[in-house]
Amino acid sequence: MRIDIITVLPELLKSPFEASILKRAIDKGLVEVHLHNLRDYTDNSYNQVDDYQFGGGAGMVMMIEPIDKCISQLKSQRNYDEVIYMTPDGSTLNQKMANSLSLLENIIILCGHYKGVDQRVRDLLITKEISIGDYVLSGGELGAAVLCDTIIRLLPGVLNDETSALTDSFQDGLLAPPVYTRPAEYKGVKVPEILLSGNFGKIEQWREEKALERTEKLRPDLLQ
């Protein structure tokens, strides 16, 4: 998979891809992540990528021209399955969406800023709009990092145990069950006996019951 991220703050996005699972995936050649500074696609002497909005009002708007130039250049080199815009009013990211995106080959992610982008960008260039929650950030970079993490960890070979992602919360519409590790008893609190029994059939049944119990208590909306 190849992910191209268009941003005005590439330095803000570097660190997530220089550590942990994301770095390992890149080093193993399982994914390519390329950062593109939108200011490199401007023609003005100040590398300006935003301007006042027509009709007046507070907040600057990202101009269509540099965005179009950047996306057009990328598209001239390869085909892209999706051109994604990170925006608070997009479709809320969930596990089902992450699963679907992880099957793609090439994607572009555009990070919004200021008051957003010229609407013509959304109308003409964007194929999918994604939000990571009902709140506003100062830019789309952190949202893009979250999106990349959710996608990349699902790629075959990224996680040491490839079944791990399949048992995460939301994969089957439920929250994950409780998990335990050593010691078997700590300050008088013991690990449930069933997990120490070696009876994997009963252990799976227990996990299913606990996942449902947890979901009913913490996220009943998932069961509707």
Side-chain angles (χ1 to χ4, degrees):
M1 169 179 269
R2 177 185 171 112
I3 301 175
D4 288 279
I5 305 176
I6 302 172
T7 170
V8 295
L9 292 172
E11 62 275 11
L12 182 61
L13 266 170
K14 288 180 181 178
S15 60
F17 302 103
E18 294 175 346
S20 189
I21 289 174
L22 301 186
K23 182 179 188 302
R24 186 163 71 237
I26 292 170
D27 290 345
K28 291 170 70 173
L30 301 174
V31 64
E32 292 181 39
V33 179
H34 300 271
L35 305 180
H36 304 273
N37 191 335
L38 190 60
R39 298 188 189 281
D40 294 338
Y41 295 85
T42 60
D43 292 328
N44 58 79
S45 57
Y46 298 102
N47 298 124
Q48 182 181 348
V49 297
D50 61 310
D51 209 338
Y52 296 102
Q53 55 181 308
F54 285 124
M60 305 291 277
V61 177
M62 295 177 72
M63 298 183 289
I64 185 172
E65 187 174 9
I67 296 173
D68 184 30
K69 285 183 178 179
C70 183
I71 291 176
S72 295
Q73 179 174 309
L74 291 172
K75 282 186 169 183
S76 71
Q77 299 167 359
R78 67 194 59 82
N79 294 321
Y80 286 90
D81 303 292
E82 295 280 11
V83 180
I84 299 168
Y85 174 47
M86 302 304 301
T87 173
D89 58 356
S91 300
T92 304
L93 176 64
N94 56 31
Q95 194 60 48
K96 182 179 179 181
M97 189 187 299
N99 290 344
S100 177
L101 291 172
S102 72
L103 300 176
L104 303 182
E105 207 171 312
N106 301 309
I107 62 175
I108 293 172
I109 302 175
L110 171 64
C111 301
H113 259 277
Y114 315 114
K115 198 67 176 178
V117 299
D118 186 304
Q119 181 62 37
R120 289 167 293 187
V121 172
R122 303 174 76 163
D123 294 340
L124 302 175
L125 304 174
I126 302 301
T127 63
K128 193 174 192 67
E129 300 183 345
I130 295 179
S131 165
I132 62 168
D134 294 338
Y135 47 86
V136 178
L137 299 171
S138 56
E141 284 76 15
L142 298 181
V146 169
L147 177 61
C148 288
D149 194 297
T150 63
I151 295 172
I152 292 172
R153 68 187 305 278
L154 295 172
L155 300 178
V158 172
L159 299 180
N160 290 330
D161 182 351
E162 292 188 11
T163 64
S164 178
L166 300 177
T167 57
D168 287 339
S169 290
F170 309 112
Q171 282 290 12
D172 56 1
L174 301 175
L175 300 182
V179 292
Y180 300 85
T181 188
R182 291 178 288 183
E185 181 176 346
Y186 185 70
K187 293 186 176 181
V189 182
K190 297 181 179 180
V191 171
E193 288 294 332
I194 184 65
L195 297 178
L196 308 176
S197 68
N199 188 327
F200 296 108
K202 288 188 175 181
I203 289 172
E204 277 308 305
Q205 183 180 351
W206 178 88
R207 285 174 171 161
E208 290 173 8
E209 291 171 355
K210 289 299 179 180
L212 180 59
E213 182 182 303
R214 245 181 140 196
T215 305
E216 288 176 335
K217 179 181 180 181
L218 301 175
R219 290 292 304 275
D221 56 295
L222 294 174
L223 301 174
Q224 295 175 0

